[in-house]
């Protein structure tokens, strides 16, 4: 007895992807699964074999009392595909069931190549053939085009699940040579591929076109110029990523060949490496793509609050061939439950290139805990694994405590708003009414306070005139003769049709005597002294400002 089970590959989503294979009403069950090209014992009864890889993703579920021993696989990935068997004894007879598990995943090229170089002559079709692996027939679309005439894509297969994708590009102009982009899609997702169309017998060639390296290897890129006067040419390499400049590199030039070494690769060395040869009249360039095979790189740690659920999260960048995530609390593996959920999803991350951040496709893993309390403030850590290694990040208890305080504040605020909305609905009074009433009370109180504590003081003041028409006076103009107008202080009025501005500032006129009697008023009479305004050209405004004195001296 066998079934074929197709499960969408969600190695990028830990939303508890589950495959269950059932065997009911048995006293004892032995499960076998794929391992090293042969069947390996996975489970005996309810005991999981901890000597197999990824044993922590296996579960035996079901009602054992009635003989249910169902094999459950969490966070399913392509390495779980293959044959599964369960053996049991029923009524003294040995029975078995066979299951074939196939994984639907997005397409992938052989050796996971994403960059291809094609050469042709001007006006001659360039034949493109790319082989991909896909469990469903892929669909191909052109994504970027420098201007060449694009052909129709066809997908054919002779040996399933390998498909050959075929199309053509016809360049009519020199500008039609360059980088083309395509998107290959199936039911599980899509991948982006780049095709560099080069002019045949083009004077510059870079080898290799694509190179993979890691922290233990050295990658060498070589750029050859086909010209007789190579000593008249200048060379430079430029590293970019997603079209963003990173740095220029001076190559080691030996005649007509320039080379660079890339040592100890990690994500910082990834990108497009463009080799450019320049003379007084011409410029030629070619590009090589560098990718790294290394462990994941953590780019950010953060916490999230989602509907009053406390989440710890890690953003990271990693190769997508195989990714697994494990969370720990006090060094004990955390498993999904009714109150705890672990997620792994695609996300955009920021890669740090010496202070310059470049956005790239990456992942985020979240540990979300419902009902998080003070007693849950423990040591949490996250381990991220791919086929090249693993990396682990630990959250400090002090950091978690600070986020917990924020979480409590946000939770209380959300609860208060929710309760307030319910009460408003029940009482028929909107929140807007309360806001308007509160604002009115505050404004009324401010007016009363101002009336109680201030009275206006009159006196002789200097007058400063400033422009309000936004223009600056020209110093080349002949200054106008001043005109004077007598204005009684305390009743400053606008007397010109034009707009002026008067700003009252602190007394600066010389004063004598204890009563501040002006020097030219020897009689001591307290009279309002005239103030003379120097009137300039129209376009000015006069504003009178009064000074307030507190009654409670």
């Amino acid at each position: 007895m066998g079934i074929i089970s197709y499960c969408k590959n969600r190695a990028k989503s830990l939303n508890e992807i589950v495959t269950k294979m059932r065997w009911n009403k048995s006293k004892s069950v032995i499960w076998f699964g794929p391992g090293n090209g042969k069947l390996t014992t996975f489970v005996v009864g309810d005991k999981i074999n901890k000597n197999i890889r990824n044993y922590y993703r296996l579960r035996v579920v079901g009602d054992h009392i009635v003989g249910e021993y169902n094999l459950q696989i969490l966070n399913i990935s392509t390495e779980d595909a293959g044959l599964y068997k369960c053996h049991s004894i029923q009524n003294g007879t040995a029975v078995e069931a066979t299951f074939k598990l196939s994984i639907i995943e997005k397409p992938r090229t052989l050796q996971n190549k994403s960059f291809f170089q094609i050469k042709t002559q001007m006006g001659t079709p360039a034949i493109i053939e790319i082989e991909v692996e896909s469990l469903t027939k892929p669909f191909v679309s052109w994504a970027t085009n420098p201007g060449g005439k694009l052909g129709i894509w066809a997908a054919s297969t002779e040996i399933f699940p390998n498909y050959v994708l075929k199309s053509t590009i016809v360049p009519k102009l020199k500008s039609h040579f360059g980088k083309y982009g395509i998107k290959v899609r199936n039911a599980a997702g899509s991948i982006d591929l780049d095709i560099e169309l080069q002019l045949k017998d083009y004077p510059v060639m870079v080898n290799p076109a694509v190179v993979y390296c890691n922290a233990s290897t050295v990658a060498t890129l070589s750029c050859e110029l086909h010209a007789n006067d190579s000593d008249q040419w200048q060379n430079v390499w430029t590293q970019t990523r997603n079209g963003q400049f990173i740095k220029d590199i001076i190559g080691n030039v030996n005649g007509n060949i320039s080379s660079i070494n890339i040592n100890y690769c990690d994500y910082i060395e990834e990108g497009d490496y463009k080799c450019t040869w320049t003379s007084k009249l011409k410029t030629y360039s070619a590009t090589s793509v560098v990718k790294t095979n290394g462990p994941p790189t953590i780019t950010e740690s953060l916490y999230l609050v989602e509907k009053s659920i406390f989440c710890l999260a890690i953003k990271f960048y990693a190769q997508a061939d195989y990714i697994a995530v494990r969370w720990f609390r006090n060094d004990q593996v955390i498993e999904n439950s009714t109150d705890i959920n672990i997620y792994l999803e695609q996300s955009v991350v920021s890669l740090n290139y010496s202070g310059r951040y470049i956005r790239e496709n990456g992942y985020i893993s979240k540990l979300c805990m419902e009902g998080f309390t003070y007693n849950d403030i423990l040591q949490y850590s996250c381990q991220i694994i791919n086929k090249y290694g693993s990396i682990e990040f630990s959250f400090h208890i002090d950091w978690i405590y600070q986020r917990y305080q924020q979480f409590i504040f946000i939770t209380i605020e959300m609860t208060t708003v929710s309760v307030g909305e319910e009460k408003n609905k029940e009482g028929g009074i909107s929140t807007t009414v309360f806001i308007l009433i509160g604002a009115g009370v505050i404004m009324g109180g401010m007016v009363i306070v101002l009336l109680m504590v201030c009275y206006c003081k009159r006196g002789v003041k200097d007058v400063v005139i400033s422009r309000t028409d936004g223009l600056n006076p020209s110093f080349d103009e002949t200054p106008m003769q001043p005109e004077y107008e007598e204005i009684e202080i305390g009743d400053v009025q606008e007397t010109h049709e034009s707009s002026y501005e008067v700003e009252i500032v602190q007394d600066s006129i010389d004063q004598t005597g204890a009563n501040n009697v002006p020097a030219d008023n020897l009689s001591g009479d307290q009279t309002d002294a005239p103030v003379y305004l120097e009137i300039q050209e129209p376009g000015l405004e006069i504003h009178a400002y009064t000074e307030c004195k507190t009654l409670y001296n």
Side-chain angles (χ1 to χ4, degrees), residues 213-215 221 238-242 244-249 260-273 289-299 317-319 350-358 360:
C213 58
N214 56 53
L221 302 181
T238 303
Q239 181 191 5
T240 61
R241 182 163 190 159
N242 295 339
Q244 298 187 53
F245 172 82
I246 298 174
K247 62 184 176 182
D248 285 330
I249 306 170
I260 58 174
N261 292 327
I262 303 174
N263 303 318
Y264 318 119
C265 298
D266 62 9
Y267 76 87
I268 294 179
E269 279 69 46
E270 286 190 335
D272 297 333
Y273 285 76
V289 177
V290 174
K291 294 184 175 294
T292 59
N293 295 330
T297 299
I298 293 176
T299 62
Y317 172 74
Q319 295 295 330
S350 295
L351 300 179
N352 187 354
Y353 281 81
S354 301
R356 176 180 299 169
Y357 290 87
I358 296 179
E360 184 60 88

Side-chain angles (χ1 to χ4, degrees), residues 299-356:
T299 62
E300 186 180 1
S301 62
L302 61 158
Y303 95 106
L304 306 169
V305 177
E306 299 178 356
K307 297 181 180 179
S308 73
I309 298 176
F310 185 83
C311 299
L312 299 175
I314 290 291
K315 282 190 172 185
F316 64 94
Y317 172 74
Q319 295 295 330
D321 296 342
Y322 165 79
I323 297 174
V325 175
R326 289 197 294 179
W327 285 84
F328 299 86
R329 178 166 53 195
N330 283 357
D331 287 334
Q332 299 298 314
V333 176
I334 302 175
E335 298 179 354
N336 284 295
S337 64
T338 55
D339 298 328
I340 297 177
N341 286 288
I342 297 174
Y343 303 91
L344 178 61
E345 302 166 347
Q346 287 184 318
S347 179
V348 175
V349 300
S350 295
L351 300 179
N352 187 354
Y353 281 81
S354 301
R356 176 180 299 169

